[in-house]
C-alpha cells in the first residue's frame, strides 16, 4: 500500500478498535487508491480519505420488545449514515445475531462505493440489529420491527435516509417497518423504504435484482474472454433471496447450477437445482436445505463442510462476509475455476481475492457485482417519486443496462490505471472518484 495512504489507514484502524470487518473493507479500498492520489494530490490535501472513513452520523439505540411468552427482550439497533455526497443515505438493514458496529460500518463503507458505481443519486448507509429472526413467530418479528422503527423513524425520510433489506430483512419485515413509520408520522411516504410489496409501492424485479445483477455482471466478465454462462458448472453459496435468484438467472443463461448451501450444510444436485422446489422450501416454508434433499431423489446433503469443496467453473458466493477463504479459493482454482461473482458483501477473504487474482480468475467484487439490488431500489424510488409503476420487462431492461454500465466503468477504469481485468481496482477507483469529486464540489462538510 502507498505509504501516505497507509499512514491514514493506520489512524483509521486505531480510531476504530475492534471493528475487524470495517478494517478489512477500508484496507481493501486503500490498497487500490495509490494511483489516484498520484494523479490527484488535491484529494490528499482536502483530507477526502479521512472524511470518507468517518461516518457523517452513527445512531445506536435500544430496541425493547416482548416475546410470545411475555418476556421482555432487549436488542441493539444501528443506523450508520456514512456519506451523502451523491444523494440520501441508502442501504439495507441486517437482522442477524452477528451484527455489531464493525459489521454495520463495513457494510456502510462498501455501500458508498457500490452506490456510486450504479450511477444513481444515492449516498451510502447501513443499519440493522443483533436480533435473530430465526425461530421467531410473525407476531414477534412484527413487535420487534415496530419497536425498531419507533426509534429509527426520526432519523430517516425520502430525502434523508432510505433503508431497505439485507440478511434477515425481507418484504415481511419491510412491511412491518413501513406500517409503523406511517402510523407514527401520519405520512404515506413511499420513498422512505425500498423493497416494499408490489401492491403498496414496491418495484417489480427488486426481489430478483441482486441475484440477477450478479449473474449479469459475471456474464459481462465472461464475455471479455469470449465465453458465457452457457455450459458452465456453477456453485452458489447461500440459499436466501440473492442465492435463489442468482441460480435462476444462471440457469436461464444455460448454466448447470449443481450446489448451494445454508448455515447447516450444503446440497449437491447434479441434475441441476430445482428452483421451484428450492423456493417452496426456503421462501414459503422458511425451512432448511435438508428438506430439499429429502424431497428430491439423487440429491446429496452434506452436513457442515464447505460448499466450496464442490468443483465449479463459476463460483457465486451469495451467503455472507468472509465465507470463502484462501484455502477454498486455491482448491477451486486447482479444479478449473474461471470466474467468481460476489453476490454477498465481502464474501471472499483478502487471501482468497489474492489467490483469484494471481491465478488469472475473473473476479467481480461485491461492490460492483451485487450492486443490482440497490440500483433497483433506486428505480423503486424513481417510480415512487413519479407515482408510477413500471412493467417487469422495462425494469429488468433498466437493471441490465445498469449492470452492463457498472461492468464497463470498472473495466475501463482498470484499463485507464494500467491494470486491465482488475475489477477490484476498477470498482474501488471508479466509485471513489465519483464520490470524491462530489465531496470536493460541496466544500468542507
Ligand atoms: N442490502 C443490499 C445491499 O447490500 C441492498 C440495499 C438497498 O437496496 O438499499 O446492497
Amino acid at each position: 500500500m502507498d505509504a501516505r495512504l497507509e499512514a491514514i489507514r493506520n489512524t483509521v484502524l486505531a480510531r476504530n478498535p475492534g471493528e475487524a470487518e470495517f478494517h478489512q473493507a477500508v484496507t481493501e479500498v486503500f490498497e487500490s487508491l495509490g494511483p489516484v492520489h498520484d494523479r490527484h494530490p488535491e484529494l490528499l490535501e482536502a483530507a477526502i480519505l479521512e472524511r470518507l472513513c468517518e461516518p457523517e452520523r452513527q445512531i445506536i439505540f435500544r430496541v425493547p420488545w416482548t416475546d410470545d411468552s411475555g418476556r421482555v427482550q432487549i436488542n441493539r439497533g444501528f443506523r450508520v449514515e456514512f456519506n451523502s455526497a451523491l444523494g440520501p443515505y441508502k442501504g439495507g438493514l441486517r437482522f442477524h445475531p452477528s451484527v455489531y458496529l464493525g459489521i454495520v460500518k463495513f457494510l456502510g463503507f462498501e455501500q458508498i462505493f457500490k452506490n456510486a458505481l450504479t450511477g444513481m443519486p444515492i449516498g451510502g448507509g447501513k443499519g440493522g440489529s443483533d436480533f435473530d429472526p430465526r425461530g421467531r413467530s410473525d407476531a414477534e418479528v412484527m413487535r420487534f420491527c415496530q419497536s425498531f422503527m419507533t426509534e429509527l423513524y426520526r432519523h430517516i425520510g425520502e430525502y434523508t435516509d432510505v433503508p431497505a433489506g439485507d440478511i434477515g430483512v425481507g418484504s415481511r419485515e419491510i412491511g412491518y417497518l413501513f406500517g409503523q413509520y406511517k402510523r407514527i408520522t401520519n405520512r404515506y411516504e413511499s420513498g422512505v423504504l425500498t423493497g416494499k410489496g408490489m401492491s403498496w409501492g414496491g418495484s417489480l424485479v427488486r426481489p430478483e435484482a441482486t441475484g440477477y445483477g450478479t449473474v449479469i455482471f459475471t456474464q459481462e466478465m465472461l464475455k471479455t474472454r469470449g465465453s458465457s454462462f452457457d455450459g458452465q458448472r456453477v456453485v452458489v453459496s447461500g440459499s436466501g433471496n440473492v442465492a435463489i435468484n442468482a441460480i435462476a438467472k444462471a440457469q436461464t443463461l444455460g448454466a448447470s447450477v449443481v450446489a448451494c448451501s445454508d448455515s447447516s450444510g450444503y446440497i449437491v444436485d447434479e441434475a441441476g437445482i430445482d428452483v421451484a422446489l428450492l423456493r417452496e422450501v426456503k421462501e414459503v416454508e422458511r425451512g432448511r436445505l435438508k428438506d430439499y434433499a429429502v424431497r428430491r431423489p439423487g440429491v446429496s446433503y452434506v452436513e457442515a463442510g464447505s460448499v466450496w469443496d464442490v468443483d465449479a467453473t463459476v463460483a457465486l458466493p451469495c451467503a455472507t462476509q468472509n465465507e470463502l477463504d484462501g484455502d477454498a479459493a486455491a482448491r477451486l482454482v486447482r479444479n478449473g475455476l474461471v470466474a467468481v461473482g460476489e453476490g454477498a458483501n465481502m464474501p471472499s477473504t483478502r487471501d482468497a481475492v489474492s489467490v483469484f487474482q494471481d491465478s488469472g480468475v475473473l473476479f467481480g467484487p461485491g461492490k460492483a457485482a451485487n450492486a443490482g439490488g440497490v440500483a433497483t431500489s433506486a428505480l423503486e424510488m424513481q417510480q415512487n417519486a413519479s407515482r408510477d409503476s413500471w412493467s417487469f420487462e422495462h425494469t429488468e431492461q433498466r437493471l441490465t443496462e445498469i449492470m452492463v454500465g457498472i461492468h464497463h466503468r470498472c473495466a475501463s477504469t482498470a484499463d485507464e490505471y494500467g491494470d486491465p481485468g482488475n475489477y477490484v481496482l476498477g470498482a474501488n477507483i471508479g466509485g471513489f472518484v465519483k464520490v470524491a469529486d462530489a465531496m470536493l464540489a460541496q466544500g468542507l462538510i
Side-chain angles (χ1 to χ4, degrees):
M1 186 186 301
D2 179 293
R4 298 159 304 172
L5 301 192
E6 192 166 3
I8 301 170
R9 196 274 314 242
N10 291 344
T11 308
V12 172
L13 265 52
R15 276 168 65 78
N16 299 279
E19 297 175 1
E21 297 81 4
F22 178 54
H23 297 178
Q24 183 183 342
V26 167
T27 301
E28 191 241 295
V29 169
F30 275 42
E31 274 170 345
S32 298
L33 296 183
V36 192
H37 288 83
D38 292 338
R39 284 191 201 182
H40 298 285
E42 73 277 9
L43 297 177
L44 280 174
E45 226 20 65
I48 292 293
L49 279 177
E50 290 90 329
R51 286 154 64 183
L52 257 178
C53 292
E54 187 67 26
E56 291 176 17
R57 192 175 297 106
Q58 308 185 54
I59 302 142
I60 303 182
F61 52 99
R62 180 171 65 203
V63 189
W65 56 284
T66 44
D67 66 20
D68 284 346
S69 63
R71 273 191 49 205
V72 173
Q73 301 277 348
I74 302 296
N75 286 99
R76 190 171 287 172
F78 301 88
R79 187 72 184 167
V80 174
E81 297 179 335
F82 230 115
N83 192 291
S84 61
L86 298 178
Y89 311 106
K90 182 83 196 86
L93 298 170
R94 177 176 292 191
F95 292 170
H96 191 270
S98 64
V99 168
Y100 77 107
L101 189 58
I103 295 264
V104 180
K105 281 171 67 179
F106 118 66
L107 291 165
F109 187 72
E110 292 272 297
Q111 201 85 44
I112 302 170
F113 305 96
K114 181 195 305 194
N115 294 3
L117 283 169
T118 66
M120 316 291 287
I122 42 179
K126 204 85 183 192
S129 175
D130 57 0
F131 172 71
D132 187 356
R134 179 153 348 139
R136 292 293 177 191
S137 68
D138 279 356
E140 289 177 317
V141 170
M142 182 181 76
R143 286 195 297 276
F144 174 82
C145 288
Q146 290 179 336
S147 180
F148 186 87
M149 185 54 86
T150 301
E151 171 59 34
L152 188 68
Y153 88 94
R154 71 190 80 244
H155 306 290
I156 63 176
E158 157 178 28
Y159 299 108
T160 315
D161 183 355
V162 183
D166 195 84
I167 293 171
V169 178
S171 61
R172 174 182 61 168
E173 289 74 18
I174 294 294
Y176 297 147
L177 291 164
F178 184 76
Q180 184 72 353
Y181 182 85
K182 178 163 61 81
R183 189 177 186 197
I184 296 175
T185 60
N186 193 30
R187 283 163 63 85
Y188 202 110
E189 189 183 327
S190 300
V192 70
L193 288 168
T194 60
K196 298 181 292 297
M198 299 310 150
S199 60
W200 46 279
S203 173
L204 289 167
V205 190
R206 178 64 190 87
E208 293 84 1
T210 311
Y212 277 26
T214 301
V215 170
I216 297 166
F217 186 93
T218 308
Q219 172 95 334
E220 289 302 300
M221 293 198 298
L222 289 165
K223 278 189 199 164
T224 65
R225 303 240 174 114
S227 179
S228 74
F229 262 97
D230 197 18
Q232 303 285 355
R233 179 180 164 90
V234 178
V235 169
V236 175
S237 62
S239 48
N241 168 266
V242 179
I244 292 174
N245 289 294
I247 294 168
K249 185 71 175 177
Q251 288 180 341
T252 63
L253 295 177
S256 165
V257 186
V258 294
C260 67
S261 61
D262 64 17
S263 55
S264 312
Y266 65 89
I267 52 162
V268 181
D269 187 345
E270 291 289 349
I273 287 171
D274 177 344
V275 173
L277 177 60
L278 186 62
R279 283 193 194 281
E280 176 68 25
V281 169
K282 297 296 297 187
E283 292 178 342
V284 180
E285 299 167 16
R286 293 184 187 269
R288 310 293 298 160
L289 270 185
K290 201 189 288 181
D291 307 330
Y292 175 101
V294 169
R295 282 193 233 169
R296 190 161 147 91
V299 175
S300 54
Y301 173 71
V302 182
E303 199 138 74
S306 164
V307 72
W308 305 122
D309 288 341
V310 183
D311 297 353
T313 56
V314 177
L316 302 175
C318 296
T320 194
Q321 67 275 354
N322 291 328
E323 52 154 309
L324 200 172
D325 64 16
D327 290 343
R331 195 164 46 244
L332 284 165
V333 168
R334 268 197 311 277
N335 293 331
L337 188 74
V338 298
V340 179
E342 291 189 327
N345 291 311
M346 207 168 73
S348 309
T349 64
R350 290 180 60 222
D351 285 350
V353 176
S354 303
V355 169
F356 293 140
Q357 293 195 312
D358 293 348
S359 53
V361 165
L362 293 163
F363 176 72
K367 62 171 79 72
N370 74 32
V374 75
T376 308
S377 279
L379 300 179
E380 182 173 332
M381 292 162 74
Q382 276 187 23
Q383 292 168 76
N384 294 154
S386 58
R387 298 181 187 278
D388 196 3
S389 51
W390 305 342
S391 69
F392 193 96
E393 291 69 28
H394 175 71
T395 316
E396 191 181 19
Q397 181 58 33
R398 292 282 290 115
L399 168 65
T400 303
E401 287 161 8
I402 291 167
M403 294 315 298
V404 171
I406 295 172
H407 176 270
H408 177 74
R409 184 165 300 138
C410 294
S412 59
T413 306
D415 287 348
E416 188 189 332
Y417 282 85
D419 199 352
N422 186 342
Y423 291 95
V424 173
L425 184 106
N428 287 335
I429 295 185
F432 172 75
V433 166
K434 210 159 174 231
V435 179
D437 281 351
M439 288 173 73
L440 275 182
Q442 292 172 23
L444 184 56
I445 47 173

